[in-house]
Amino acid sequence: MLQMVKRLTLICLVCLLLNGCEKYNFISMVIPPGDLVNSRFEQSMRITQGKAVAQIEAADEYMFYVCTDTHIDKTSVNLEAFNSILRNDYDATFGVMLGDAIDRRDNLPRYLEAIKFNPEIHKFDYTIFNVIGNHDVYFNGWEDYKSLIGPSVYWFSVKTPSYSDLYITLDSATGTLGKKQFDWLKSFLAENRDNYRHCIVFTHVNILYSDLSQLVTSNLPMDETFALLEVFSKYRVELVLQGHDHYRDDQMFNGVRYTVVGTIEDSVDNPEYITVFVNDDNIDLNWHSL
Amino acid sequence: MYCSSLLNAQDSGISFRLRAGDTTPFGGFTAVSADVNHSFENNFAVNGGVQYNTIGRTATEIRPAYSFELENGIISVTALLHYSHQSSIDNFAVGFGADYSYKWLFLTAGYYYRIYGCNGSYMKEYFNLFYQGGLKCLPNVDEWDLNIYITNCELFELERHYQPSLMVQGWWYPNDWLGVNLGVSYKHTGMFGIASDYYQLYGSTGICYRW
């Protein structure tokens, strides 16, 4: 009994320590760490006015780069390497980071420094689109995110000579899309999906719970999961790219491919990123070790 | 005890319940359910029923249990069979676990396997846990029950292990055969490492006929 009390005390002390140094926000598991997702959605819509944040020109066949969960703390070696590979690739079109950019508050400037274009070492000034993750909103991190990166819910398109492709970025950082974002997603897809060749969605939290690596990572509640699966299938979303779990996963469900990209964090043994090739018929993924 | 909807039911009865509340992403909802508990003389009991929720979910569930009376409390071995249909998806779960109940305390823990599918596609979830734990605030009062607990395995609503609800349920038993229920449930996201957010709040009421 005494041993158990000692262990619990130690766990509580470690939690308080991590909370105190603004690394893990354990209190936020009960008390929201800042604005709720409905508020973040409204603020995002005010920023974008509901319009595309970008229209990227590309050939009918093009490719883009994706990494996730950089968790920038003291170092940013892998992210800088990813940034260099992307920005020196003639065939690339843009980059995406699928959330958890930082490991503790106040590290966002360091993250932005690691992904910026440097004309001395980089050839191409591609846009890198960001997805908001749970670590990004810890300790009211949304205020920093909003001012330094921008909206958490937005869309952009890729215009090719013959087609347009639709890309939607969702905010699942607090484990739910919220009613306002969910309603917007349904009506937006209903109105716009048919105008585009392909549709790809980016979100941080995982839609499917397919393996044991997700045992300790929280995702969406069941009824929201089922509702989202139905929406994605109904509106022919072809690919849903996610981060969060830190381990690669790739599943098909009812015509939609759900892919989790492994982390590119400095501390892991096998950091990875993916390249996505888009053409008339297919969307193909290639995994790369860093 | 049965009307409190704890898994280690010792009585027999039938309950009718109504829920009304707000949930993400559907907004306002109501749900009606009926469930029967029957206790046999040989320590076996079975609890099962159906629920319809206006979010578009129909669910049915059955939970057989076998109880042992201990010196300090009651322990039950429980099985769980769940089926629900929502958003074009058929959702099956099968599990087993154990319940323990003693004076102020009740606990449930178990494992379940889930498979859900739609149009020939299916997903398997090999490792899910269900649990329930809380306090009986009025253990020595015959006419009243007041239970405060967390659960991810409320009857008809089997959540993943990272998604518990906080529940307060009160029962009034004006006589031996009738029970009247009032309750409130709050669910937020964000356990197990995600920052939290509001998800669901509902109130419930019901009656239970006991025999």
Side-chain angles (χ1 to χ4, degrees), chain A residues 28-29 31-33 37 134 138 173-176 178 182 208-209 215 218-220 222-224 230 254, chain B residues 24 86-88 119 121 125 127-128 159-162 188-197 199:
Chain A
S28 79
M29 289 199 294
I31 300 168
V37 66
N134 50 304
Y138 283 172
T174 46
T176 174
F182 191 82
L208 304 175
Y209 169 41
L215 182 65
S218 186
N219 295 314
L220 306 172
M222 285 314 301
D223 51 7
E224 185 170 10
E230 184 181 49
N254 203 17
Chain B
T24 303
Q86 183 217 318
S87 303
S88 310
N119 295 330
S121 286
E125 294 182 358
F127 200 83
N128 272 300
E159 270 289 0
R160 291 171 180 152
H161 52 275
Y162 52 74
H188 68 81
T189 59
M191 300 300 287
F192 289 73
I194 294 188
S196 68
D197 212 310
Y199 189 75

mmCIF file of all heavy atoms in Angstrom, chain A residues 28-29 31-33 37 134 138 173-176 178 182 208-209 215 218-220 222-224 230 254, chain B residues 24 86-88 119 121 125 127-128 159-162 188-197 199:
data_model
loop_
_atom_site.group_PDB
_atom_site.id
_atom_site.type_symbol
_atom_site.label_atom_id
_atom_site.label_comp_id
_atom_site.label_asym_id
_atom_site.label_seq_id
_atom_site.Cartn_x
_atom_site.Cartn_y
_atom_site.Cartn_z
ATOM 1 N N SER A 28 -5.117 20.235 -19.102
ATOM 2 C CA SER A 28 -5.994 20.475 -20.256
ATOM 3 C C SER A 28 -6.819 19.249 -20.617
ATOM 4 O O SER A 28 -7.741 19.336 -21.419
ATOM 5 C CB SER A 28 -5.172 20.908 -21.469
ATOM 6 O OG SER A 28 -4.574 19.787 -22.083
ATOM 7 N N MET A 29 -6.496 18.071 -20.029
ATOM 8 C CA MET A 29 -7.332 16.892 -20.267
ATOM 9 C C MET A 29 -8.714 17.077 -19.638
ATOM 10 O O MET A 29 -9.661 16.390 -19.979
ATOM 11 C CB MET A 29 -6.673 15.627 -19.725
ATOM 12 C CG MET A 29 -5.477 15.208 -20.534
ATOM 13 S SD MET A 29 -5.004 13.489 -20.279
ATOM 14 C CE MET A 29 -4.495 13.481 -18.596
ATOM 15 N N ILE A 31 -9.664 20.612 -18.194
ATOM 16 C CA ILE A 31 -10.045 22.008 -18.415
ATOM 17 C C ILE A 31 -9.494 22.448 -19.762
ATOM 18 O O ILE A 31 -8.286 22.356 -19.997
ATOM 19 C CB ILE A 31 -9.479 22.907 -17.295
ATOM 20 C CG1 ILE A 31 -10.038 22.437 -15.940
ATOM 21 C CG2 ILE A 31 -9.829 24.364 -17.551
ATOM 22 C CD1 ILE A 31 -9.337 23.053 -14.760
ATOM 23 N N PRO A 32 -10.351 22.910 -20.677
ATOM 24 C CA PRO A 32 -9.852 23.326 -21.998
ATOM 25 C C PRO A 32 -8.723 24.344 -21.876
ATOM 26 O O PRO A 32 -8.788 25.245 -21.031
ATOM 27 C CB PRO A 32 -11.096 23.935 -22.655
ATOM 28 C CG PRO A 32 -12.254 23.249 -21.998
ATOM 29 C CD PRO A 32 -11.811 23.023 -20.576
ATOM 30 N N PRO A 33 -7.679 24.193 -22.699
ATOM 31 C CA PRO A 33 -6.498 25.031 -22.555
ATOM 32 C C PRO A 33 -6.651 26.420 -23.168
ATOM 33 O O PRO A 33 -5.743 27.241 -23.084
ATOM 34 C CB PRO A 33 -5.432 24.244 -23.324
ATOM 35 C CG PRO A 33 -6.213 23.510 -24.368
ATOM 36 C CD PRO A 33 -7.536 23.180 -23.746
ATOM 37 N N VAL A 37 -13.044 24.471 -29.918
ATOM 38 C CA VAL A 37 -12.907 24.309 -31.368
ATOM 39 C C VAL A 37 -13.948 25.137 -32.117
ATOM 40 O O VAL A 37 -13.644 25.672 -33.209
ATOM 41 C CB VAL A 37 -12.979 22.807 -31.760
ATOM 42 C CG1 VAL A 37 -14.344 22.206 -31.480
ATOM 43 C CG2 VAL A 37 -12.593 22.606 -33.219
ATOM 44 N N ASN A 134 -2.750 18.780 -31.169
ATOM 45 C CA ASN A 134 -3.066 18.976 -29.756
ATOM 46 C C ASN A 134 -1.948 19.679 -28.999
ATOM 47 O O ASN A 134 -2.198 20.513 -28.138
ATOM 48 C CB ASN A 134 -3.422 17.649 -29.081
ATOM 49 C CG ASN A 134 -2.427 16.545 -29.342
ATOM 50 O OD1 ASN A 134 -2.152 16.236 -30.496
ATOM 51 N ND2 ASN A 134 -1.887 15.942 -28.298
ATOM 52 N N TYR A 138 -1.830 23.386 -26.461
ATOM 53 C CA TYR A 138 -1.557 23.329 -25.021
ATOM 54 C C TYR A 138 -1.234 24.728 -24.505
ATOM 55 O O TYR A 138 -0.630 25.546 -25.196
ATOM 56 C CB TYR A 138 -0.353 22.429 -24.742
ATOM 57 C CG TYR A 138 -0.629 20.934 -24.809
ATOM 58 C CD1 TYR A 138 0.426 20.033 -24.745
ATOM 59 C CD2 TYR A 138 -1.908 20.424 -24.904
ATOM 60 C CE1 TYR A 138 0.207 18.665 -24.791
ATOM 61 C CE2 TYR A 138 -2.138 19.062 -24.945
ATOM 62 C CZ TYR A 138 -1.079 18.189 -24.891
ATOM 63 O OH TYR A 138 -1.292 16.837 -24.942
ATOM 64 N N ALA A 173 -7.642 19.380 -33.079
ATOM 65 C CA ALA A 173 -6.631 19.448 -32.016
ATOM 66 C C ALA A 173 -7.185 19.142 -30.638
ATOM 67 O O ALA A 173 -6.449 18.734 -29.742
ATOM 68 C CB ALA A 173 -5.985 20.835 -32.005
ATOM 69 N N THR A 174 -8.487 19.355 -30.439
ATOM 70 C CA THR A 174 -9.064 19.073 -29.125
ATOM 71 C C THR A 174 -10.008 17.872 -29.193
ATOM 72 O O THR A 174 -10.978 17.772 -28.431
ATOM 73 C CB THR A 174 -9.775 20.322 -28.559
ATOM 74 O OG1 THR A 174 -10.592 20.916 -29.568
ATOM 75 C CG2 THR A 174 -8.782 21.338 -28.086
ATOM 76 N N GLY A 175 -9.740 16.952 -30.112
ATOM 77 C CA GLY A 175 -10.432 15.663 -30.104
ATOM 78 C C GLY A 175 -11.830 15.665 -30.667
ATOM 79 O O GLY A 175 -12.540 14.656 -30.564
ATOM 80 N N THR A 176 -12.236 16.738 -31.292
ATOM 81 C CA THR A 176 -13.537 16.811 -31.960
ATOM 82 C C THR A 176 -13.487 17.946 -32.983
ATOM 83 O O THR A 176 -12.741 18.909 -32.801
ATOM 84 C CB THR A 176 -14.683 17.059 -30.956
ATOM 85 O OG1 THR A 176 -15.910 17.253 -31.660
ATOM 86 C CG2 THR A 176 -14.424 18.269 -30.079
ATOM 87 N N GLY A 178 -16.159 19.661 -33.556
ATOM 88 C CA GLY A 178 -17.170 20.621 -33.109
ATOM 89 C C GLY A 178 -18.295 20.716 -34.124
ATOM 90 O O GLY A 178 -18.137 20.389 -35.299
ATOM 91 N N PHE A 182 -18.073 20.843 -38.317
ATOM 92 C CA PHE A 182 -18.645 19.667 -38.963
ATOM 93 C C PHE A 182 -19.743 20.079 -39.951
ATOM 94 O O PHE A 182 -19.794 19.576 -41.080
ATOM 95 C CB PHE A 182 -19.202 18.706 -37.913
ATOM 96 C CG PHE A 182 -19.574 17.360 -38.457
ATOM 97 C CD1 PHE A 182 -18.608 16.390 -38.648
ATOM 98 C CD2 PHE A 182 -20.874 17.082 -38.809
ATOM 99 C CE1 PHE A 182 -18.940 15.152 -39.172
ATOM 100 C CE2 PHE A 182 -21.220 15.847 -39.329
ATOM 101 C CZ PHE A 182 -20.249 14.874 -39.511
ATOM 102 N N LEU A 208 -9.347 6.506 -37.674
ATOM 103 C CA LEU A 208 -9.513 5.080 -37.388
ATOM 104 C C LEU A 208 -8.593 4.663 -36.240
ATOM 105 O O LEU A 208 -7.524 5.250 -36.052
ATOM 106 C CB LEU A 208 -9.195 4.249 -38.637
ATOM 107 C CG LEU A 208 -9.984 4.596 -39.892
ATOM 108 C CD1 LEU A 208 -9.480 3.774 -41.082
ATOM 109 C CD2 LEU A 208 -11.475 4.356 -39.693
ATOM 110 N N TYR A 209 -9.022 3.649 -35.508
ATOM 111 C CA TYR A 209 -8.204 3.086 -34.424
ATOM 112 C C TYR A 209 -7.883 1.659 -34.841
ATOM 113 O O TYR A 209 -8.630 0.740 -34.596
ATOM 114 C CB TYR A 209 -9.005 3.132 -33.125
ATOM 115 C CG TYR A 209 -8.414 2.367 -31.962
ATOM 116 C CD1 TYR A 209 -7.056 2.386 -31.691
ATOM 117 C CD2 TYR A 209 -9.236 1.641 -31.106
ATOM 118 C CE1 TYR A 209 -6.532 1.694 -30.624
ATOM 119 C CE2 TYR A 209 -8.724 0.946 -30.030
ATOM 120 C CZ TYR A 209 -7.368 0.974 -29.794
ATOM 121 O OH TYR A 209 -6.846 0.275 -28.720
ATOM 122 N N LEU A 215 -3.146 2.906 -28.683
ATOM 123 C CA LEU A 215 -3.768 2.582 -27.397
ATOM 124 C C LEU A 215 -3.779 3.776 -26.452
ATOM 125 O O LEU A 215 -4.736 3.990 -25.721
ATOM 126 C CB LEU A 215 -3.010 1.407 -26.755
ATOM 127 C CG LEU A 215 -3.547 0.902 -25.428
ATOM 128 C CD1 LEU A 215 -4.934 0.302 -25.603
ATOM 129 C CD2 LEU A 215 -2.608 -0.138 -24.837
ATOM 130 N N SER A 218 -5.466 9.580 -27.826
ATOM 131 C CA SER A 218 -6.900 9.824 -27.875
ATOM 132 C C SER A 218 -7.311 10.300 -29.264
ATOM 133 O O SER A 218 -6.586 11.054 -29.907
ATOM 134 C CB SER A 218 -7.231 10.886 -26.838
ATOM 135 O OG SER A 218 -8.597 11.081 -26.732
ATOM 136 N N ASN A 219 -8.461 9.820 -29.706
ATOM 137 C CA ASN A 219 -8.979 10.249 -31.012
ATOM 138 C C ASN A 219 -10.396 10.783 -30.845
ATOM 139 O O ASN A 219 -10.747 11.267 -29.793
ATOM 140 C CB ASN A 219 -8.919 9.077 -32.005
ATOM 141 C CG ASN A 219 -7.489 8.664 -32.277
ATOM 142 O OD1 ASN A 219 -6.629 9.500 -32.508
ATOM 143 N ND2 ASN A 219 -7.207 7.375 -32.217
ATOM 144 N N LEU A 220 -11.209 10.654 -31.877
ATOM 145 C CA LEU A 220 -12.561 11.203 -31.829
ATOM 146 C C LEU A 220 -13.510 10.219 -31.140
ATOM 147 O O LEU A 220 -13.298 9.012 -31.180
ATOM 148 C CB LEU A 220 -13.063 11.467 -33.249
ATOM 149 C CG LEU A 220 -12.169 12.334 -34.135
ATOM 150 C CD1 LEU A 220 -12.696 12.338 -35.569
ATOM 151 C CD2 LEU A 220 -12.111 13.756 -33.621
ATOM 152 N N MET A 222 -16.915 7.871 -30.779
ATOM 153 C CA MET A 222 -17.398 6.917 -31.794
ATOM 154 C C MET A 222 -18.438 7.509 -32.733
ATOM 155 O O MET A 222 -18.378 7.311 -33.950
ATOM 156 C CB MET A 222 -17.996 5.672 -31.122
ATOM 157 C CG MET A 222 -16.992 4.711 -30.545
ATOM 158 S SD MET A 222 -15.595 4.301 -31.578
ATOM 159 C CE MET A 222 -16.365 3.611 -33.023
ATOM 160 N N ASP A 223 -19.449 8.220 -32.194
ATOM 161 C CA ASP A 223 -20.511 8.672 -33.102
ATOM 162 C C ASP A 223 -19.992 9.747 -34.061
ATOM 163 O O ASP A 223 -20.440 9.831 -35.206
ATOM 164 C CB ASP A 223 -21.781 9.111 -32.351
ATOM 165 C CG ASP A 223 -21.527 10.092 -31.250
ATOM 166 O OD1 ASP A 223 -20.397 10.560 -31.130
ATOM 167 O OD2 ASP A 223 -22.486 10.396 -30.511
ATOM 168 N N GLU A 224 -19.024 10.539 -33.617
ATOM 169 C CA GLU A 224 -18.426 11.516 -34.538
ATOM 170 C C GLU A 224 -17.553 10.804 -35.579
ATOM 171 O O GLU A 224 -17.529 11.188 -36.759
ATOM 172 C CB GLU A 224 -17.600 12.548 -33.771
ATOM 173 C CG GLU A 224 -17.066 13.652 -34.676
ATOM 174 C CD GLU A 224 -16.449 14.808 -33.925
ATOM 175 O OE1 GLU A 224 -16.257 14.706 -32.706
ATOM 176 O OE2 GLU A 224 -16.164 15.831 -34.571
ATOM 177 N N GLU A 230 -18.907 8.570 -42.864
ATOM 178 C CA GLU A 230 -19.998 8.664 -43.835
ATOM 179 C C GLU A 230 -19.833 9.883 -44.745
ATOM 180 O O GLU A 230 -20.015 9.798 -45.966
ATOM 181 C CB GLU A 230 -21.345 8.740 -43.105
ATOM 182 C CG GLU A 230 -22.537 8.738 -44.058
ATOM 183 C CD GLU A 230 -23.858 8.841 -43.325
ATOM 184 O OE1 GLU A 230 -23.998 9.717 -42.458
ATOM 185 O OE2 GLU A 230 -24.765 8.046 -43.629
ATOM 186 N N ASN A 254 -14.467 2.060 -47.110
ATOM 187 C CA ASN A 254 -15.595 2.550 -47.899
ATOM 188 C C ASN A 254 -15.162 3.569 -48.963
ATOM 189 O O ASN A 254 -15.760 4.646 -49.091
ATOM 190 C CB ASN A 254 -16.660 3.161 -46.965
ATOM 191 C CG ASN A 254 -18.030 3.174 -47.612
ATOM 192 O OD1 ASN A 254 -18.293 2.485 -48.598
ATOM 193 N ND2 ASN A 254 -18.927 3.974 -47.065
ATOM 194 N N THR B 24 -22.060 16.835 -29.999
ATOM 195 C CA THR B 24 -21.298 17.152 -31.193
ATOM 196 C C THR B 24 -21.185 15.871 -31.990
ATOM 197 O O THR B 24 -20.903 14.841 -31.385
ATOM 198 C CB THR B 24 -19.884 17.629 -30.812
ATOM 199 O OG1 THR B 24 -20.023 18.736 -29.941
ATOM 200 C CG2 THR B 24 -19.054 17.995 -32.012
ATOM 201 N N GLN B 86 -25.444 3.274 -37.250
ATOM 202 C CA GLN B 86 -25.456 4.735 -37.303
ATOM 203 C C GLN B 86 -24.639 5.196 -38.502
ATOM 204 O O GLN B 86 -23.597 4.627 -38.807
ATOM 205 C CB GLN B 86 -24.843 5.331 -36.027
ATOM 206 C CG GLN B 86 -24.886 6.856 -35.960
ATOM 207 C CD GLN B 86 -23.655 7.440 -35.327
ATOM 208 O OE1 GLN B 86 -23.172 6.926 -34.332
ATOM 209 N NE2 GLN B 86 -23.126 8.515 -35.902
ATOM 210 N N SER B 87 -25.118 6.245 -39.192
ATOM 211 C CA SER B 87 -24.388 6.829 -40.314
ATOM 212 C C SER B 87 -23.995 5.760 -41.330
ATOM 213 O O SER B 87 -22.853 5.719 -41.803
ATOM 214 C CB SER B 87 -23.137 7.558 -39.825
ATOM 215 O OG SER B 87 -23.467 8.541 -38.883
ATOM 216 N N SER B 88 -24.928 4.873 -41.663
ATOM 217 C CA SER B 88 -24.729 3.798 -42.651
ATOM 218 C C SER B 88 -23.747 2.727 -42.185
ATOM 219 O O SER B 88 -23.347 1.873 -42.971
ATOM 220 C CB SER B 88 -24.233 4.347 -44.001
ATOM 221 O OG SER B 88 -25.033 5.401 -44.436
ATOM 222 N N ASN B 119 -20.875 -1.118 -46.662
ATOM 223 C CA ASN B 119 -20.709 -1.419 -48.090
ATOM 224 C C ASN B 119 -19.548 -2.371 -48.375
ATOM 225 O O ASN B 119 -18.775 -2.163 -49.324
ATOM 226 C CB ASN B 119 -20.499 -0.124 -48.905
ATOM 227 C CG ASN B 119 -21.708 0.770 -48.865
ATOM 228 O OD1 ASN B 119 -22.838 0.290 -48.748
ATOM 229 N ND2 ASN B 119 -21.485 2.066 -48.956
ATOM 230 N N SER B 121 -16.807 -2.761 -46.767
ATOM 231 C CA SER B 121 -15.573 -2.392 -46.071
ATOM 232 C C SER B 121 -15.765 -2.615 -44.579
ATOM 233 O O SER B 121 -16.869 -2.405 -44.070
ATOM 234 C CB SER B 121 -15.261 -0.907 -46.269
ATOM 235 O OG SER B 121 -14.798 -0.648 -47.550
ATOM 236 N N GLU B 125 -11.156 -3.378 -34.524
ATOM 237 C CA GLU B 125 -10.429 -2.789 -33.394
ATOM 238 C C GLU B 125 -10.161 -3.909 -32.407
ATOM 239 O O GLU B 125 -11.070 -4.386 -31.736
ATOM 240 C CB GLU B 125 -11.245 -1.667 -32.763
ATOM 241 C CG GLU B 125 -11.435 -0.476 -33.685
ATOM 242 C CD GLU B 125 -12.223 0.666 -33.038
ATOM 243 O OE1 GLU B 125 -12.655 0.515 -31.885
ATOM 244 O OE2 GLU B 125 -12.393 1.687 -33.707
ATOM 245 N N PHE B 127 -8.175 -4.060 -29.727
ATOM 246 C CA PHE B 127 -7.904 -3.855 -28.306
ATOM 247 C C PHE B 127 -8.638 -2.631 -27.789
ATOM 248 O O PHE B 127 -8.203 -1.499 -27.972
ATOM 249 C CB PHE B 127 -6.398 -3.718 -28.060
ATOM 250 C CG PHE B 127 -6.039 -3.995 -26.635
ATOM 251 C CD1 PHE B 127 -5.867 -5.294 -26.190
ATOM 252 C CD2 PHE B 127 -5.914 -2.960 -25.728
ATOM 253 C CE1 PHE B 127 -5.551 -5.556 -24.860
ATOM 254 C CE2 PHE B 127 -5.595 -3.213 -24.396
ATOM 255 C CZ PHE B 127 -5.416 -4.516 -23.961
ATOM 256 N N ASN B 128 -9.766 -2.874 -27.162
ATOM 257 C CA ASN B 128 -10.517 -1.822 -26.488
ATOM 258 C C ASN B 128 -10.784 -2.247 -25.055
ATOM 259 O O ASN B 128 -10.940 -3.434 -24.764
ATOM 260 C CB ASN B 128 -11.860 -1.599 -27.187
ATOM 261 C CG ASN B 128 -11.759 -0.594 -28.316
ATOM 262 O OD1 ASN B 128 -11.393 0.554 -28.104
ATOM 263 N ND2 ASN B 128 -12.067 -1.031 -29.530
ATOM 264 N N GLU B 159 -18.131 3.291 -25.789
ATOM 265 C CA GLU B 159 -17.097 4.179 -26.313
ATOM 266 C C GLU B 159 -15.730 3.501 -26.284
ATOM 267 O O GLU B 159 -15.541 2.482 -25.617
ATOM 268 C CB GLU B 159 -17.035 5.461 -25.473
ATOM 269 C CG GLU B 159 -17.931 6.570 -25.966
ATOM 270 C CD GLU B 159 -17.434 7.188 -27.278
ATOM 271 O OE1 GLU B 159 -16.396 6.744 -27.807
ATOM 272 O OE2 GLU B 159 -18.115 8.099 -27.780
ATOM 273 N N ARG B 160 -14.795 4.093 -26.995
ATOM 274 C CA ARG B 160 -13.413 3.646 -26.847
ATOM 275 C C ARG B 160 -12.911 4.023 -25.456
ATOM 276 O O ARG B 160 -13.485 4.880 -24.791
ATOM 277 C CB ARG B 160 -12.536 4.286 -27.927
ATOM 278 C CG ARG B 160 -12.844 3.744 -29.320
ATOM 279 C CD ARG B 160 -12.113 4.546 -30.359
ATOM 280 N NE ARG B 160 -12.365 4.072 -31.709
ATOM 281 C CZ ARG B 160 -12.310 4.863 -32.778
ATOM 282 N NH1 ARG B 160 -12.035 6.149 -32.647
ATOM 283 N NH2 ARG B 160 -12.532 4.374 -33.972
ATOM 284 N N HIS B 161 -11.803 3.393 -25.057
ATOM 285 C CA HIS B 161 -11.359 3.538 -23.668
ATOM 286 C C HIS B 161 -10.945 4.961 -23.318
ATOM 287 O O HIS B 161 -10.933 5.340 -22.158
ATOM 288 C CB HIS B 161 -10.212 2.571 -23.381
ATOM 289 C CG HIS B 161 -9.099 2.663 -24.372
ATOM 290 N ND1 HIS B 161 -9.108 1.987 -25.559
ATOM 291 C CD2 HIS B 161 -7.974 3.383 -24.359
ATOM 292 C CE1 HIS B 161 -8.016 2.266 -26.228
ATOM 293 N NE2 HIS B 161 -7.312 3.112 -25.535
ATOM 294 N N TYR B 162 -10.581 5.749 -24.311
ATOM 295 C CA TYR B 162 -10.110 7.097 -24.007
ATOM 296 C C TYR B 162 -11.255 8.100 -23.916
ATOM 297 O O TYR B 162 -11.014 9.302 -23.836
ATOM 298 C CB TYR B 162 -9.088 7.569 -25.054
ATOM 299 C CG TYR B 162 -9.539 7.433 -26.487
ATOM 300 C CD1 TYR B 162 -10.487 8.292 -27.019
ATOM 301 C CD2 TYR B 162 -9.024 6.451 -27.304
ATOM 302 C CE1 TYR B 162 -10.909 8.172 -28.318
ATOM 303 C CE2 TYR B 162 -9.439 6.317 -28.611
ATOM 304 C CZ TYR B 162 -10.372 7.189 -29.114
ATOM 305 O OH TYR B 162 -10.790 7.065 -30.407
ATOM 306 N N HIS B 188 -16.624 15.017 -22.279
ATOM 307 C CA HIS B 188 -15.734 15.928 -22.997
ATOM 308 C C HIS B 188 -14.629 15.113 -23.648
ATOM 309 O O HIS B 188 -14.313 14.003 -23.214
ATOM 310 C CB HIS B 188 -15.161 17.013 -22.085
ATOM 311 C CG HIS B 188 -14.201 16.505 -21.041
ATOM 312 N ND1 HIS B 188 -12.886 16.237 -21.307
ATOM 313 C CD2 HIS B 188 -14.367 16.217 -19.740
ATOM 314 C CE1 HIS B 188 -12.295 15.811 -20.218
ATOM 315 N NE2 HIS B 188 -13.172 15.771 -19.245
ATOM 316 N N THR B 189 -14.061 15.656 -24.693
ATOM 317 C CA THR B 189 -12.935 14.995 -25.355
ATOM 318 C C THR B 189 -11.660 15.355 -24.599
ATOM 319 O O THR B 189 -11.675 16.187 -23.702
ATOM 320 C CB THR B 189 -12.809 15.462 -26.812
ATOM 321 O OG1 THR B 189 -12.619 16.882 -26.803
ATOM 322 C CG2 THR B 189 -14.059 15.122 -27.596
ATOM 323 N N GLY B 190 -10.587 14.708 -24.964
ATOM 324 C CA GLY B 190 -9.304 15.178 -24.479
ATOM 325 C C GLY B 190 -8.622 14.341 -23.428
ATOM 326 O O GLY B 190 -7.527 14.673 -22.992
ATOM 327 N N MET B 191 -9.243 13.239 -22.982
ATOM 328 C CA MET B 191 -8.520 12.382 -22.060
ATOM 329 C C MET B 191 -7.360 11.733 -22.823
ATOM 330 O O MET B 191 -7.334 11.693 -24.037
ATOM 331 C CB MET B 191 -9.436 11.293 -21.513
ATOM 332 C CG MET B 191 -10.631 11.842 -20.764
ATOM 333 S SD MET B 191 -10.188 12.838 -19.332
ATOM 334 C CE MET B 191 -9.641 11.573 -18.194
ATOM 335 N N PHE B 192 -6.370 11.238 -22.102
ATOM 336 C CA PHE B 192 -5.230 10.536 -22.695
ATOM 337 C C PHE B 192 -4.460 11.452 -23.649
ATOM 338 O O PHE B 192 -4.083 11.046 -24.731
ATOM 339 C CB PHE B 192 -5.663 9.268 -23.428
ATOM 340 C CG PHE B 192 -6.117 8.169 -22.509
ATOM 341 C CD1 PHE B 192 -7.328 8.265 -21.862
ATOM 342 C CD2 PHE B 192 -5.337 7.058 -22.281
ATOM 343 C CE1 PHE B 192 -7.755 7.278 -20.999
ATOM 344 C CE2 PHE B 192 -5.756 6.067 -21.428
ATOM 345 C CZ PHE B 192 -6.973 6.171 -20.776
ATOM 346 N N GLY B 193 -4.271 12.691 -23.264
ATOM 347 C CA GLY B 193 -3.262 13.486 -23.945
ATOM 348 C C GLY B 193 -3.704 14.539 -24.911
ATOM 349 O O GLY B 193 -2.907 15.347 -25.344
ATOM 350 N N ILE B 194 -4.974 14.543 -25.265
ATOM 351 C CA ILE B 194 -5.414 15.620 -26.143
ATOM 352 C C ILE B 194 -5.972 16.732 -25.271
ATOM 353 O O ILE B 194 -6.517 16.472 -24.206
ATOM 354 C CB ILE B 194 -6.503 15.136 -27.111
ATOM 355 C CG1 ILE B 194 -5.906 14.120 -28.069
ATOM 356 C CG2 ILE B 194 -7.078 16.269 -27.915
ATOM 357 C CD1 ILE B 194 -6.850 13.737 -29.170
ATOM 358 N N ALA B 195 -5.847 17.959 -25.710
ATOM 359 C CA ALA B 195 -6.473 19.050 -24.990
ATOM 360 C C ALA B 195 -7.987 18.876 -25.057
ATOM 361 O O ALA B 195 -8.528 18.430 -26.060
ATOM 362 C CB ALA B 195 -6.051 20.364 -25.627
ATOM 363 N N SER B 196 -8.675 19.218 -23.987
ATOM 364 C CA SER B 196 -10.092 18.881 -23.896
ATOM 365 C C SER B 196 -10.993 19.887 -24.593
ATOM 366 O O SER B 196 -10.622 21.025 -24.851
ATOM 367 C CB SER B 196 -10.501 18.750 -22.429
ATOM 368 O OG SER B 196 -10.446 20.001 -21.805
ATOM 369 N N ASP B 197 -12.192 19.432 -24.866
ATOM 370 C CA ASP B 197 -13.203 20.259 -25.507
ATOM 371 C C ASP B 197 -14.566 19.706 -25.111
ATOM 372 O O ASP B 197 -14.687 18.526 -24.780
ATOM 373 C CB ASP B 197 -13.042 20.210 -27.041
ATOM 374 C CG ASP B 197 -13.465 21.516 -27.694
ATOM 375 O OD1 ASP B 197 -14.573 22.002 -27.397
ATOM 376 O OD2 ASP B 197 -12.680 22.034 -28.496
ATOM 377 N N TYR B 199 -18.074 17.998 -25.530
ATOM 378 C CA TYR B 199 -18.605 17.076 -26.534
ATOM 379 C C TYR B 199 -20.100 16.812 -26.371
ATOM 380 O O TYR B 199 -20.845 16.918 -27.338
ATOM 381 C CB TYR B 199 -17.852 15.735 -26.521
ATOM 382 C CG TYR B 199 -18.271 14.894 -27.698
ATOM 383 C CD1 TYR B 199 -17.802 15.202 -28.972
ATOM 384 C CD2 TYR B 199 -19.173 13.852 -27.569
ATOM 385 C CE1 TYR B 199 -18.218 14.492 -30.072
ATOM 386 C CE2 TYR B 199 -19.587 13.126 -28.677
ATOM 387 C CZ TYR B 199 -19.110 13.452 -29.918
ATOM 388 O OH TYR B 199 -19.523 12.752 -31.018
#
